[in-house]
Amino acid sequence: MSTELFKYDSVEVCYGEKAIVEEISFTLKPGEILGIAGESGSGKSTIIKAALGILGPSGKVTKGDIRFQGKNLPDLTEREMQKIRGAKIGMIFQDAGSSFCPVRTIGDQIYETLAAHETIQRKEAEERALELLGKLGFKDGRRILESYSFELSGGMNQRIGIALAMLLNPSVILADEPTSALDVSVQKQAVEEMLLLRELYGTAMVLVTHNIGVISAMADAVLVLKEGKIVEYGAAKQVLNAPREAYTKELMDAVPKLRRS
Ligand SMILES: Nc1ncnc2c1ncn2[C@@H]1O[C@H](COP(=O)(O)OP(=O)(O)OP(=O)(O)O)[C@@H](O)[C@H]1O
Ligand SMILES: [Mg+2]
């Protein structure tokens, strides 16, 4: 098997006529976590949305390739992308927790998500969800499945949203500010859970966040983005311990670090 799971090659994305990100290249190996850092508006979310085909009506990949399992994602039809999104490429957004529907239980929604991608019985879907929640240390998995999202705290919803991105066993997860809305202690817990998921399932991850602390706690490689261009890309140790660019140092000085425990 190729060691390249997911690869951007000189990608440019435009909204309308305006190029928002340019010359974006990186490679993700199985199980690798790449952190993408950069100030607000630097194009972090745009990079992720380009792979998922969710740039909206004015957004378009205008140059380069985004290769996944031998395919160039921007060439695929919406129908083909629907089979990939969520199932082969998992997604976690800042508001993953609030994307649960308020009038159906968490368990109902898990079943629907799984049933949309594979033939599965309700009981099996529940067992799989309980097993996953158990591995993450949730002691009350059954209660969670029977709950409506409004019965759980915001932090709990987000942690469940993160866990559920794993249920279809994607080989890559694209996470956009997955912990940014959480308070510091829940953020730490969610970071530990994401690392545990990577260990258990070997999932690779692109982790977009303006929080270098989260990146230093999780990433194997770091890409620093400024005004739509890469200013630095390399092993996390190198970029974080010996940043070459003043911009990277500024980002690092701007936030307190979360330590790997
Ligand atoms: N749908 C859109 N149409 C036009 N311009 C857009 C659209 N979405 C984003 N942009 C612009 O593209 C640039 C990059 O936005 P993007 O959301 O990728 O930044 P970001 O790094 O994720 O920022 P943040 O940290 O605030 O989330 C910004 O200037 C933004 O205004
Ligand atoms: Mg963003």
Side-chain angles (χ1 to χ4, degrees), residues 15 20 38-46 49 55 58 177 210:
Y15 290 114
I20 296 291
E39 64 199 348
S40 182
S42 56
K44 304 181 298 296
S45 298
T46 299
K49 287 178 183 168
L55 287 165
S58 69
E177 305 281 4
H210 66 277

Side-chain angles (χ1 to χ4, degrees), residues 14-214:
C14 292
Y15 290 114
E17 298 289 303
K18 190 164 184 274
I20 296 291
V21 297
E22 291 171 84
E23 286 293 327
I24 303 300
S25 300
F26 63 81
T27 303
L28 201 64
K29 297 186 193 112
E32 185 178 21
I33 298 180
L34 169 72
I36 299 185
E39 64 199 348
S40 182
S42 56
K44 304 181 298 296
S45 298
T46 299
I47 289 178
I48 283 205
K49 287 178 183 168
L52 295 168
I54 52 170
L55 287 165
S58 69
K60 195 166 164 36
V61 175
T62 39
K63 284 184 193 161
D65 288 344
I66 304 177
R67 304 213 70 92
F68 175 70
Q69 295 186 336
K71 297 182 179 107
N72 181 32
L73 296 176
D75 289 343
L76 302 187
T77 61
E78 173 56 24
R79 219 185 148 87
E80 289 169 316
M81 280 310 296
Q82 279 170 6
K83 292 199 189 119
I84 289 180
R85 252 185 248 127
K88 297 205 163 79
I89 302 180
M91 306 172 281
I92 305 172
F93 295 108
Q94 178 163 356
D95 59 351
S98 63
S99 62
F100 289 117
C101 170
V103 295
R104 285 171 302 145
T105 64
I106 304 278
D108 286 340
Q109 293 175 69
I110 289 173
Y111 173 62
E112 282 157 26
T113 305
L114 287 173
H117 288 279
E118 56 190 90
T119 313
I120 190 165
Q121 299 300 316
R122 172 79 196 214
K123 195 164 162 7
E124 193 193 333
E126 268 180 21
E127 277 163 12
R128 230 201 278 174
L130 285 173
E131 191 191 335
L132 179 70
L133 292 172
K135 279 181 182 163
L136 287 174
F138 286 93
K139 297 209 166 42
D140 46 359
R142 175 80 48 198
R143 181 184 73 92
I144 290 170
L145 295 189
E146 286 166 6
S147 297
Y148 295 90
S149 65
F150 61 80
E151 295 174 315
L152 305 169
S153 73
M156 183 80 125
N157 270 302
Q158 184 71 2
R159 287 169 55 215
I160 295 167
I162 290 170
L164 296 188
M166 288 308 304
L167 264 187
L168 291 157
N169 209 0
S171 50
V172 186
I173 285 192
L174 306 184
D176 194 349
E177 305 281 4
T179 64
S180 300
L182 304 175
D183 75 36
V184 175
S185 67
V186 185
Q187 190 173 70
K188 190 161 181 289
Q189 204 170 11
V191 163
E192 280 163 12
E193 286 165 359
M194 284 189 280
L195 287 170
L196 181 62
L197 289 171
R198 188 259 294 262
E199 207 177 300
L200 292 171
Y201 298 92
T203 320
M205 200 179 286
V206 178
L207 171 71
V208 161
T209 173
H210 66 277
N211 188 334
I212 285 266
V214 170

